[in-house]
Amino acid sequence: MASPAAPAPIDLTQFHRVFFEEAAEHLSDLEHRLVRIDPAAPPAEELNAIFRAAHSIKGGSGTFGFHDMAAVTHAAESLLDRVRHGELALSAAMVDVILEACDVLRGQLEHHRDGADPAGTDVDTMCARIRAVEAAAAGGTAAVPKSAPATDAGKSAPRRMRTLVVAFPMPTDGHSSLDGLKAGLTDLGRVESLGTTDDGRIRWALCTDRPEADVRALFEWSTAPEAVEVTEQAGEASDAGWGLFDGAPGAAPAAPEACVPADAGWGLFDNAPGNGGTPAPAAAKAPPAAAAAAARKPAAQTDSSIRVSVDKVDQLINLVGELVITQSMLAQSASQIDPAIAERLQAGLAQFERNTRDLQEAVLAVRMMPIAIVFNRFPRVVRDLAARLGKEVELVIDGEGTELDKGLIEKLSDPLTHLVRNSLDHGVESVESRLAAGKPAKGRILLSAAHRGGSVVIRVEDDGAGLDRARILAKERERGMDVPDTMPDAEVWALIFEAGFSTAKEVTDVSGRGVGMDVVRRNIESLGGRVEIESTAGQGSRFSIRLPLTLAILDGMSVGIDGGTYILPLGNVVESMRASSLEVKSISGAGNVVSVRGAYLPVVSLAGVFGIAGRADRGNDGILVIVESDGVSAALEVDELLGQHQVVIKSLETNYRRVPGVSGATIMGDGRVALILDAAQIVRRGRH
């Protein structure tokens, strides 16, 4: 009789995306904790958390065959393991080398994610550096950290060997993951099979000195964590029957202490799936009470979150946007019906409107993510750059739990990086200069975020020397610009956003090329936000970024021009007034200006901007809407004001092409398309 065919191997590449996301999260957590930890007195819980992050990356890397990542994390894990058990004292050199390893791992992760060959990364060199730091620490006379248990002789107490019984369901990808689990467990100790339980759960015994958390970490990639049960089992000290995987590659050496579970006569995976051996002894089976508890456990500890593709969320948001437009159309059509005739219809539409708004807010909340995703990368940036510049700087982060649209968060990294680096390079002074000015030797940079009405305000603030007004004006004159000494501070500070502007005396790898702040302004404006600057000489500077909560909806003011409807972002609108009530003057060859409370503003005819024939100049017969962007104002000439409402933003560039002065489009309740105006671009046009 022919033997049954072996099950087909499972393609592990289908799980790569989850591994890449979770490995990136572990790397960020590892880096964040390393930058924050005090090497002189490291808390035990922080050391354990750092070790677990490295161990989780190693476990997943080994399971999916990314051996370069597994090698680097194994070297880092070995060093961290000795530190957390008190065999070595944590030092700044250790923190530095593990941060270097994080950079290497991040590069390897990108290579594997893109499907490229990571051969360019010298794994052996990185592992050798880690081992060299470990060897140097082991040969020195560094004291044992206070958090580590120590004997009277100053040596760490030996770790207790014990037997852990692990029960878990067959992984979803079958034997492929079992092989990875076996390889991982051999790094922790000696392994023996206990067969399977009545409900089909696999039971293994592990003789180890590692904590339970390390064992659980191995199962993260193959099965749900709540489905894994780990219990300690007492037994006689005997080395008989152990070492099933001793000859496996990377297997750990023989344990310093022997242990064996109380159950005698174990078989080597006698009842493992696919083996034809005899069932495991009855004593190895889980007691009915334990099995019932194990069955109840997953239901009580089910994970409360799921991973969903961003594309699916975007599709859902688009569908809700279409629903909002449909609701608006129905409401407009129903408004033409006598309420007395269609009272129930009106009541139903009112309820439909409330439900639609609630649904819209709930769906948009799905895309909201804490800004800590961006903020958490800056402690490392500040630490490395401050060391390179020879400065002492403390980074304070506040409001990292503030939520923002995922699309905005992804595009915030570059602008914030430029602002933080500028604060470090140009703002915070050297230690000598700060002491001479009567300041603390250590400078301070505050990175904060908070909700303000319908916007999010992000601030980068330092206690450095502040912006040098005279130097900025002098630099602009060198560039051929006519700037008077009487310019208001806000306009002087805005000059640093000009392309090519820099006050640096020499070009370095940090600054001096005059492109950073220009990039900041362009990127923030592309997100529908604006940047404001406050600075006091000798006390420091504050850069405030104001952004909408989401890129999916917009609070706008609709205006009419020659029968067409246009939307102005409400955040840019200051006020509106009749042109006839103001003093409008014409400047030869430069258009019109209007005097508003003593200040002259350029008048921009929107009919002229969009080339509406015969409507380029209406003189005093029209309405002026005062808009502001980056501290500069202009008066937009329109025919009428139609109202204020929320609109669903549609990309004009994706569906048509890029149009100067337009940032997007929306569909109104009557089905017509209305263009959303780019206030910043129109203000700049009026200014020049």
Side-chain angles (χ1 to χ4, degrees):
M1 180 177 179
S3 59
I10 302 298
D11 182 13
L12 291 180
T13 58
Q14 61 183 307
F15 305 109
H16 280 184
R17 183 179 61 83
V18 176
F19 166 73
F20 293 146
E21 292 175 358
E22 296 195 6
E25 291 174 5
H26 285 308
L27 271 176
S28 297
D29 181 55
L30 179 61
E31 190 174 81
H32 181 63
R33 292 178 184 276
L34 283 168
V35 171
R36 196 175 52 185
I37 200 168
D38 180 9
E45 61 272 15
E46 280 295 295
L47 290 175
N48 287 330
I50 291 170
F51 174 84
R52 285 195 299 271
H55 189 71
S56 296
I57 297 172
K58 188 191 85 167
S61 302
T63 299
F64 292 106
F66 302 138
H67 302 299
D68 53 341
M69 294 181 65
V72 174
T73 45
H74 180 71
E77 178 195 49
S78 298
L79 172 59
L80 291 168
D81 192 40
R82 297 186 66 181
V83 170
R84 72 189 186 121
H85 285 108
E87 298 174 14
L88 298 176
L90 186 67
S91 66
M94 293 180 185
V95 173
D96 289 339
V97 77
I98 298 176
L99 285 173
E100 289 180 34
C102 288
D103 294 336
V104 171
L105 287 167
R106 188 168 282 111
Q108 292 170 336
L109 191 63
E110 289 299 323
H111 279 299
H112 291 304
R113 179 186 282 125
D114 298 337
D117 182 11
T121 303
D122 194 342
V123 175
D124 292 338
T125 300
M126 188 68 251
C127 293
R129 286 179 57 80
I130 297 173
R131 287 193 290 268
V133 171
E134 182 178 356
T141 57
V144 177
K146 295 178 181 179
S147 60
T151 62
D152 294 338
K155 298 181 180 179
S156 59
R159 290 172 274 174
R160 184 175 69 88
M161 299 296 295
R162 66 203 190 285
T163 298
L164 297 178
V165 177
V166 186
F168 59 96
M170 170 64 78
T172 54
D173 55 349
H175 295 278
S176 300
S177 275
L178 278 180
D179 293 338
L181 289 172
K182 294 171 188 175
L185 284 170
T186 57
D187 282 342
L188 302 183
R190 296 171 179 261
V191 185
E192 183 75 19
S193 170
L194 297 181
T196 58
T197 62
D198 291 336
D199 58 355
R201 293 161 60 84
I202 299 171
R203 297 180 74 235
W204 287 349
L206 173 68
C207 179
T208 184
D209 60 351
R210 298 294 185 90
E212 178 182 326
D214 294 356
V215 179
R216 289 187 176 277
L218 288 174
F219 293 83
E220 288 181 354
W221 310 100
S222 59
T223 189
E226 66 272 6
V228 179
E229 183 180 3
V230 181
T231 56
E232 183 173 346
Q233 184 170 343
E236 297 294 333
S238 169
D239 215 9
W242 281 96
L244 175 64
F245 301 119
D246 283 349
E257 295 180 28
C259 60
V260 68
D263 298 351
W266 288 353
L268 300 186
F269 286 89
D270 287 339
N271 202 30
N275 289 352
T278 58
K285 297 182 179 180
R296 290 193 303 269
K297 190 174 180 181
Q301 299 182 5
T302 301
D303 196 350
S304 61
S305 64
I306 59 173
R307 292 183 180 272
V308 180
S309 168
V310 175
D311 292 338
K312 292 182 179 179
V313 177
D314 289 342
Q315 182 182 11
L316 185 59
I317 289 175
N318 287 334
L319 290 174
V320 172
E322 296 296 332
L323 184 63
V324 171
I325 293 169
T326 303
Q327 178 269 323
S328 179
M329 290 179 176
L330 290 174
Q332 183 162 335
S333 299
S335 65
Q336 302 172 6
I337 303 176
D338 186 352
I341 299 175
E343 181 179 354
R344 293 183 62 185
L345 174 62
Q346 295 286 359
L349 286 173
Q351 181 65 33
F352 181 36
E353 180 179 4
R354 289 191 294 271
N355 292 342
T356 302
R357 181 171 292 273
D358 290 343
L359 177 62
Q360 184 183 40
E361 292 176 355
V363 172
L364 289 175
V366 174
R367 274 187 64 99
M368 304 297 277
M369 302 180 69
I371 203 169
I373 295 173
V374 177
F375 279 11
N376 285 345
R377 71 184 61 181
F378 287 106
R380 173 77 184 279
V381 172
V382 171
R383 178 185 185 272
D384 293 349
L385 188 56
R388 193 190 314 171
L389 297 174
K391 298 180 179 181
E392 294 184 11
V393 182
E394 174 192 15
L395 177 66
V396 179
I397 295 179
D398 183 41
E400 62 267 34
T402 303
E403 290 191 334
L404 197 59
D405 187 277
K406 179 178 176 14
L408 291 168
I409 284 180
E410 291 173 346
K411 297 176 183 178
L412 264 180
S413 177
D414 282 349
L416 285 180
T417 299
H418 283 300
L419 290 178
V420 170
R421 287 167 66 92
N422 266 24
S423 292
L424 257 169
D425 192 21
H426 298 298
V428 178
E429 313 96 325
S430 64
V431 174
E432 296 78 12
S433 299
R434 291 182 65 85
L435 292 175
K439 293 182 176 181
K442 179 177 286 189
R444 181 176 182 269
I445 294 178
L446 172 64
L447 185 59
S448 65
H451 289 291
R452 295 285 185 272
S455 305
V456 171
V457 177
I458 303 166
R459 287 176 175 163
V460 179
E461 186 175 353
D462 65 71
D463 64 349
L467 296 177
D468 189 335
R469 177 188 170 94
R471 186 172 177 79
I472 293 173
L473 292 175
K475 199 70 177 180
E476 283 297 279
R477 293 188 182 109
E478 288 178 15
R479 300 174 68 224
M481 291 191 67
D482 183 16
V483 287
D485 290 330
T486 56
M487 283 182 68
D489 282 346
E491 294 186 23
V492 174
W493 308 149
L495 294 175
I496 70 174
F497 292 114
E498 297 293 334
F501 181 87
S502 176
T503 58
K505 296 180 181 179
E506 60 182 21
V507 176
T508 68
D509 60 343
V510 178
S511 62
R513 301 186 184 276
V515 295
M517 300 306 289
D518 181 37
V519 169
V520 169
R521 182 175 66 179
R522 286 204 316 270
N523 288 359
I524 296 303
E525 287 181 354
S526 71
L527 300 176
R530 63 179 189 268
V531 187
E532 300 169 354
I533 304 176
E534 303 170 57
S535 183
T536 304
Q539 297 183 23
S541 305
R542 175 190 293 168
F543 294 83
S544 300
I545 300 173
R546 185 176 294 272
L547 293 167
L549 283 175
T550 177
L551 297 176
I553 59 173
L554 172 76
D555 286 312
M557 171 184 284
S558 56
V559 298
I561 304 172
D562 194 27
T565 302
Y566 299 82
I567 307 295
L568 276 169
L570 203 56
N572 294 107
V573 176
V574 179
E575 57 184 322
S576 60
M577 54 194 70
R578 282 283 178 185
S580 57
S581 65
L582 302 171
E583 183 182 1
V584 179
K585 294 186 177 181
S586 177
I587 300 178
S588 178
N592 297 334
V593 295
V594 61
S595 176
V596 180
R597 290 184 287 277
Y600 281 94
L601 306 178
V603 177
V604 180
S605 170
L606 290 181
V609 169
F610 296 110
I612 300 177
R615 302 294 301 276
D617 186 4
R618 296 193 58 182
N620 291 339
D621 182 21
I623 296 174
L624 296 181
V625 180
I626 311 301
V627 295
E628 183 267 340
S629 176
D630 291 333
V632 181
S633 300
L636 307 186
E637 185 181 8
V638 302
D639 292 346
E640 56 183 332
L641 303 180
L642 302 178
Q644 298 178 12
H645 43 260
Q646 280 191 337
V647 296
V648 178
I649 301 174
K650 300 289 185 180
S651 172
L652 191 64
E653 191 171 354
T654 300
N655 297 290
Y656 176 54
R657 63 178 174 84
R658 188 172 184 83
V659 178
V662 175
S663 61
T666 189
I667 301 175
M668 306 300 290
D670 56 5
R672 293 188 300 169
V673 174
L675 298 180
I676 301 172
L677 303 182
D678 186 339
Q681 195 175 97
I682 292 175
V683 167
R684 282 202 300 273
R685 175 183 178 132
R687 179 184 177 191
H688 295 292

Short mmCIF file of all heavy atoms in Angstrom, two decimals, residues 22 29 134 150-151 155 158 174-175 177 181 199 235 291 338 433 446 456 552 560 562 630 666:
data_model
loop_
_atom_site.label_atom_id
_atom_site.label_comp_id
_atom_site.label_asym_id
_atom_site.label_seq_id
_atom_site.Cartn_x
_atom_site.Cartn_y
_atom_site.Cartn_z
N GLU A 22 6.10 44.32 11.52
CA GLU A 22 6.36 44.10 12.94
C GLU A 22 7.85 44.23 13.24
O GLU A 22 8.23 44.73 14.31
CB GLU A 22 5.83 42.73 13.36
CG GLU A 22 4.32 42.63 13.23
CD GLU A 22 3.75 41.44 13.99
OE1 GLU A 22 4.51 40.76 14.71
OE2 GLU A 22 2.54 41.20 13.87
N ASP A 29 11.17 50.51 18.39
CA ASP A 29 11.09 50.40 19.85
C ASP A 29 12.47 50.18 20.45
O ASP A 29 12.83 50.80 21.46
CB ASP A 29 10.16 49.24 20.22
CG ASP A 29 10.00 49.08 21.73
OD1 ASP A 29 9.62 50.07 22.39
OD2 ASP A 29 10.27 47.99 22.25
N GLU A 134 31.71 43.34 23.44
CA GLU A 134 31.39 42.38 24.50
C GLU A 134 32.65 41.86 25.17
O GLU A 134 32.74 41.77 26.40
CB GLU A 134 30.58 41.22 23.91
CG GLU A 134 30.15 40.18 24.92
CD GLU A 134 29.31 39.08 24.30
OE1 GLU A 134 29.01 39.17 23.09
OE2 GLU A 134 28.97 38.13 25.02
N ALA A 150 23.68 39.80 42.29
CA ALA A 150 25.11 39.49 42.33
C ALA A 150 25.41 38.71 43.60
O ALA A 150 24.76 38.84 44.62
CB ALA A 150 25.93 40.78 42.29
N THR A 151 26.46 37.89 43.54
CA THR A 151 26.90 37.13 44.70
C THR A 151 27.84 38.00 45.52
O THR A 151 28.23 39.09 45.12
CB THR A 151 27.63 35.87 44.24
OG1 THR A 151 28.79 36.26 43.49
CG2 THR A 151 26.74 35.01 43.37
N LYS A 155 30.16 38.27 41.40
CA LYS A 155 29.76 37.58 40.19
C LYS A 155 28.26 37.37 40.19
O LYS A 155 27.63 37.31 41.23
CB LYS A 155 30.46 36.22 40.10
CG LYS A 155 31.98 36.33 40.01
CD LYS A 155 32.60 34.95 39.91
CE LYS A 155 34.11 35.05 39.84
NZ LYS A 155 34.75 33.73 39.76
N PRO A 158 24.09 32.17 39.43
CA PRO A 158 23.77 31.28 38.32
C PRO A 158 22.27 31.24 38.07
O PRO A 158 21.47 31.31 39.00
CB PRO A 158 24.29 29.92 38.79
CG PRO A 158 24.34 30.03 40.29
CD PRO A 158 24.67 31.44 40.59
N GLY A 174 1.74 24.89 8.77
CA GLY A 174 2.16 23.52 8.96
C GLY A 174 3.61 23.34 9.34
O GLY A 174 4.16 24.07 10.14
N HIS A 175 4.24 22.32 8.74
CA HIS A 175 5.58 21.90 9.15
C HIS A 175 6.65 22.93 8.83
O HIS A 175 7.73 22.89 9.40
CB HIS A 175 5.92 20.56 8.48
CG HIS A 175 5.04 19.44 8.93
ND1 HIS A 175 5.26 18.76 10.09
CD2 HIS A 175 3.90 18.93 8.39
CE1 HIS A 175 4.32 17.83 10.24
NE2 HIS A 175 3.48 17.92 9.23
N SER A 177 6.70 26.11 9.55
CA SER A 177 6.96 26.90 10.76
C SER A 177 7.49 26.03 11.89
O SER A 177 8.26 26.50 12.73
CB SER A 177 5.69 27.61 11.22
OG SER A 177 5.53 28.82 10.54
N LEU A 181 10.54 26.82 14.46
CA LEU A 181 10.39 26.80 15.91
C LEU A 181 11.42 25.87 16.56
O LEU A 181 12.00 26.20 17.59
CB LEU A 181 8.98 26.34 16.28
CG LEU A 181 7.84 27.33 15.99
CD1 LEU A 181 6.50 26.66 16.22
CD2 LEU A 181 7.98 28.57 16.86
N ASP A 199 -7.08 17.60 22.21
CA ASP A 199 -7.64 18.57 21.27
C ASP A 199 -6.67 18.90 20.14
O ASP A 199 -6.84 19.89 19.42
CB ASP A 199 -8.05 19.86 21.99
CG ASP A 199 -6.89 20.51 22.73
OD1 ASP A 199 -5.80 19.92 22.75
OD2 ASP A 199 -7.08 21.62 23.28
N GLY A 235 10.89 18.30 38.14
CA GLY A 235 11.43 17.01 37.73
C GLY A 235 12.76 16.70 38.38
O GLY A 235 13.38 17.57 38.99
N ALA A 291 -6.98 21.48 29.89
CA ALA A 291 -7.41 21.61 28.50
C ALA A 291 -8.58 22.58 28.39
O ALA A 291 -8.66 23.38 27.46
CB ALA A 291 -7.80 20.23 27.96
N ASP A 338 -42.51 70.55 -0.86
CA ASP A 338 -43.23 71.16 0.25
C ASP A 338 -43.10 70.26 1.48
O ASP A 338 -43.50 69.08 1.45
CB ASP A 338 -44.71 71.30 -0.13
CG ASP A 338 -45.49 72.06 0.94
OD1 ASP A 338 -44.92 72.33 2.02
OD2 ASP A 338 -46.67 72.38 0.69
N SER A 433 29.67 78.87 24.65
CA SER A 433 28.85 80.06 24.41
C SER A 433 27.68 80.14 25.38
O SER A 433 27.32 81.21 25.87
CB SER A 433 28.34 80.06 22.97
OG SER A 433 29.40 80.09 22.06
N LEU A 446 12.33 71.37 22.26
CA LEU A 446 11.00 70.84 22.56
C LEU A 446 10.30 70.50 21.26
O LEU A 446 10.18 71.35 20.37
CB LEU A 446 10.18 71.86 23.35
CG LEU A 446 8.70 71.51 23.57
CD1 LEU A 446 8.56 70.27 24.44
CD2 LEU A 446 7.96 72.69 24.21
N VAL A 456 -4.09 70.54 13.78
CA VAL A 456 -3.04 70.04 14.66
C VAL A 456 -1.87 71.01 14.56
O VAL A 456 -1.45 71.37 13.45
CB VAL A 456 -2.60 68.62 14.26
CG1 VAL A 456 -1.35 68.22 15.05
CG2 VAL A 456 -3.71 67.63 14.53
N ALA A 552 -8.71 64.20 3.72
CA ALA A 552 -9.88 63.65 3.04
C ALA A 552 -11.05 64.63 2.99
O ALA A 552 -11.84 64.61 2.05
CB ALA A 552 -10.33 62.36 3.71
N GLY A 560 -18.67 82.50 -5.51
CA GLY A 560 -19.13 82.45 -6.89
C GLY A 560 -18.39 83.43 -7.77
O GLY A 560 -18.15 84.58 -7.37
N ASP A 562 -18.73 84.49 -11.84
CA ASP A 562 -19.35 84.36 -13.15
C ASP A 562 -20.17 83.07 -13.25
O ASP A 562 -20.10 82.35 -14.24
CB ASP A 562 -18.28 84.40 -14.24
CG ASP A 562 -18.91 84.61 -15.63
OD1 ASP A 562 -20.01 85.20 -15.70
OD2 ASP A 562 -18.29 84.16 -16.61
N ASP A 630 1.35 82.05 5.38
CA ASP A 630 2.73 82.32 5.80
C ASP A 630 2.93 83.76 6.25
O ASP A 630 3.96 84.38 5.97
CB ASP A 630 3.72 82.00 4.67
CG ASP A 630 3.81 80.52 4.40
OD1 ASP A 630 3.56 79.74 5.33
OD2 ASP A 630 4.12 80.15 3.26
N THR A 666 -14.05 69.14 -5.70
CA THR A 666 -15.09 68.44 -4.94
C THR A 666 -16.38 68.45 -5.76
O THR A 666 -16.50 69.20 -6.74
CB THR A 666 -15.32 69.11 -3.57
OG1 THR A 666 -16.18 68.29 -2.78
CG2 THR A 666 -15.94 70.49 -3.72
#
